């Protein structure tokens, strides 16, 4: 008889409730073997399993963040392996088990260095949470650059973006719909199988229709750096024009995301977005910068040497003139708690917006995004107050 067989690869989560995509399973027994979830139920569990006690709390699917720039002092655009590792680990601790490192505006060299650093970390770390890069900057409208550095903005050109796509790591692609070259960009993004989004844009309804035809299905951070009826009046005067907001609200197929950090949008706006789009078309994102888990003070947004300056007040980032917001400084656990507190969305719906919905939109829901047999064991142990206690990536405890 062997007495040294303690290298079991079977783990069981018991002693609490599992948050499924459409309901809560109380007294849950969730069994994982190697990297996957193998069964879900109540009652008995295999004798060889090592037990993780939920202590009356929850087992949640790991969070999936589509839009995130950095954390714990690092920005993905610093373009080094170390910055990528630091940012990924910071967000793992806040429950993000699938991350899409997001580019800002910047030079082609900076963007290539960022993608390359993400590629290195993804291929070298067994427990890496990197799924793919979100190519976000630099293809923004000149009048909607927001807190990004203006010098790093430009219109899309094939000679440039073909190099990014050639890495095979770009999975989400953003471009303002009104830019010359947007159509070619969308076409190539679609060919690459990317999830296509329009953001930092002052696009009209007509421009959105053309983008939709080309495959665009999502709008970045709803209400932030996007067109509105009043903003389009400045472009087209009267009759007033429908904007990105009306386009998203009127098209069932369009999804969007909210920065539910408590500083960007009021509770009514969060409730409105949830009620209008539903939990299967609204994603929670952090849009978090390097000031996550850092003291208040001045930081660079984007690259550490030439990114634009912002100030963190401990709640959110502010532009240098103090007049506009400059992205969030919180993790996914924070936005989940805030969304739950601020809206009528149920706990399974709030968690869905932070896991299954972004998984479905990016086409990875067969592998991850919910607690379901056959999927990767990307799991979180949460307290009753939704604080992150333990984090598992493909069955391995990482935080
Ligand atoms: Zn933005
Ligand atoms: Zn952003």
């Amino acid at each position: 008889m062997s007495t040294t067989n303690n290298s079991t690869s079977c783990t069981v989560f018991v002693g609490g409730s599992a948050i499924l995509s459409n309901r809560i399973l109380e007294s849950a027994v969730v069994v994982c073997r190697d990297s996957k979830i193998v069964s879900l139920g109540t009652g008995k569990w295999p004798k060889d399993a090592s037990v993780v006690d939920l202590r009356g709390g929850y087992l949640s699917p790991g969070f999936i963040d589509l839009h995130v720039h950095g954390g714990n002092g690092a920005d993905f655009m610093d373009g080094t392996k170390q910055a990528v590792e630091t940012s990924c680990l910071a967000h793992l601790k806040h429950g993000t088990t699938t991350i899409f490192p997001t580019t800002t505006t910047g030079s082609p060299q900076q963007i290539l260095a960022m993608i390359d650093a993400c590629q290195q970390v993804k291929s070298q770390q067994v427990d890496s949470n990197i799924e793919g890069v979100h190519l976000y900057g630099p293809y923004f409208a000149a009048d909607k650059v927001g807190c990004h550095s203006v010098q790093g903005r430009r219109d899309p050109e094939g000679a440039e973006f073909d190099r990014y796509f050639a890495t095979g790591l770009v999975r989400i692609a953003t471009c303002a719909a009104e830019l010359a070259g947007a159509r070619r960009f969308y076409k190539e993004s679609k060919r690459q199988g990317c999830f296509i989004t329009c953001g930092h844009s002052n696009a009209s309804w007509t421009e959105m229709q053309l983008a939709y035809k080309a495959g665009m299905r999502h709008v970045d951070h709803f209400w932030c750096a996007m067109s509105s009826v009043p903003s389009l009046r400045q472009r087209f005067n009267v009759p007033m024009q429908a904007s990105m907001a009306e386009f998203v609200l009127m098209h069932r197929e369009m999804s969007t995301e909210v920065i539910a950090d408590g500083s960007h949008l009021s509770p009514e706006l969060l409730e409105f977005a949830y009620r209008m789009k539903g939990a299967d078309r609204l994603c929670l994102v952090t849009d978090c910068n390097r000031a996550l888990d850092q003291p208040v003070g001045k930081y660079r947004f984007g690259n550490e040497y030439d990114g634009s300056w912002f100030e963190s007040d401990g709640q959110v980032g502010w532009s240098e003139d103090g007049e506009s917001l400059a992205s969030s400084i919180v993790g996914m656990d924070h936005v989940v708690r805030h969304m739950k507190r601020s809206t009528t969305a149920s706990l399974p719906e709030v968690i869905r917006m932070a896991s299954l919905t972004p998984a479905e939109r990016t086409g990875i829901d067969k592998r991850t995004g919910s607690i379901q047999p056959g999927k990767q064991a990307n799991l979180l142990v949460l307290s009753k107050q939704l604080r992150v206690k333990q984090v598992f990536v493909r069955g391995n405890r990482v935080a």
Side-chain angles (χ1 to χ4, degrees), residues 19-340:
I19 307 170
L20 309 185
S21 60
N22 55 357
R23 68 193 169 101
I24 302 272
L25 176 66
E26 281 169 27
S27 308
V29 175
V30 177
V31 182
C32 303
R33 222 175 256 284
D34 299 322
S35 62
K36 288 185 175 167
I37 299 164
V38 293
S39 75
L40 166 68
T42 54
K44 292 207 170 101
W45 57 83
K47 282 212 176 68
D48 66 332
S50 58
V51 175
V52 176
D53 186 354
L54 301 172
R55 294 171 181 271
Y58 298 106
L59 186 68
S60 166
F63 302 141
I64 299 176
D65 196 352
L66 303 178
H67 188 156
V68 48
H69 299 285
N72 198 20
D75 191 300
F76 290 112
M77 287 298 287
D78 293 346
T80 63
K81 223 182 113 189
Q82 202 197 339
V84 172
E85 285 170 349
T86 301
S87 303
C88 287
L89 180 61
H91 285 278
L92 263 178
K93 289 179 177 167
H94 288 272
T96 301
T97 56
T98 302
I99 196 165
F100 290 88
T102 302
T103 59
T104 63
T105 62
S107 70
Q109 292 73 24
Q110 287 172 336
I111 292 169
L112 281 168
M114 183 276 203
I115 299 174
D116 182 57
C118 291
Q119 189 85 272
Q120 284 184 48
V121 173
K122 183 177 159 72
S123 61
Q124 290 167 14
Q125 281 191 2
V126 187
D127 300 328
S128 162
N129 53 352
I130 296 176
E131 177 65 33
V133 163
H134 180 170
L135 179 62
Y136 185 58
Y139 307 133
F140 294 166
D143 52 345
K144 293 282 183 190
V145 175
C147 67
H148 292 245
S149 130
V150 183
Q151 300 91 292
R153 183 221 78 84
R154 57 199 165 272
D155 290 355
E157 274 190 40
E160 182 190 353
F161 62 68
D162 284 345
R163 295 171 72 196
Y164 307 147
F165 288 129
T167 64
L169 199 63
V170 177
R171 301 319 306 147
I172 306 177
T174 289
C175 179
E178 68 270 44
L179 299 184
R183 217 91 58 76
R184 241 219 85 194
F185 178 84
Y186 291 143
K187 200 175 157 200
E188 189 52 31
S189 307
K190 196 173 176 188
R191 217 175 64 84
Q192 298 285 335
C194 294
F195 180 44
I196 306 174
T197 161
C198 171
H200 287 260
S201 165
N202 200 16
S204 67
W205 182 274
T206 314
E207 288 156 344
M208 288 299 278
Q209 265 180 325
L210 289 171
Y212 186 85
K213 254 194 175 158
M216 183 274 306
R217 289 292 181 276
H218 185 87
V219 162
D220 303 279
H221 46 44
F222 208 67
W223 288 299
C224 305
M226 63 181 252
S227 62
S228 63
V229 173
S231 83
L232 288 174
R233 189 163 183 183
Q234 291 169 11
R235 277 184 74 194
F236 303 102
N237 202 356
V238 289
M240 289 193 283
Q241 305 287 313
S243 72
M244 290 164 75
E246 289 74 31
F247 194 88
V248 169
L249 297 175
M250 242 166 80
H251 287 80
R252 167 77 190 137
E253 269 314 303
M254 287 293 296
S255 57
T256 187
E257 63 194 37
V258 282
I259 310 169
D261 64 343
S263 298
H264 280 76
L265 304 168
S266 71
E268 308 82 68
L269 287 179
L270 296 176
E271 178 75 25
F272 181 87
Y274 155 67
R275 292 236 214 136
M276 293 301 115
K277 291 309 295 180
D280 62 345
R281 289 292 183 276
L282 185 67
C283 302
L284 301 184
V285 296
T286 63
D287 194 5
C288 181
N289 60 46
R290 72 171 79 234
L292 169 74
D293 296 333
Q294 292 286 294
V296 299
K298 272 182 84 174
Y299 297 89
R300 289 231 198 233
F301 183 75
N303 184 269
E304 60 184 321
Y305 299 112
D306 65 3
S308 51
W309 288 103
F310 71 92
E311 184 124 19
S312 164
D313 64 3
Q315 305 287 321
V316 70
W318 290 93
S319 62
E320 246 193 324
D321 60 11
E323 292 196 355
S324 41
L325 294 178
S327 79
S328 101
I329 62 159
V330 303
M332 283 296 275
D333 56 338
H334 179 110
V335 304
V336 160
R337 288 191 296 271
H338 185 73
M339 194 71 180
K340 180 70 192 74

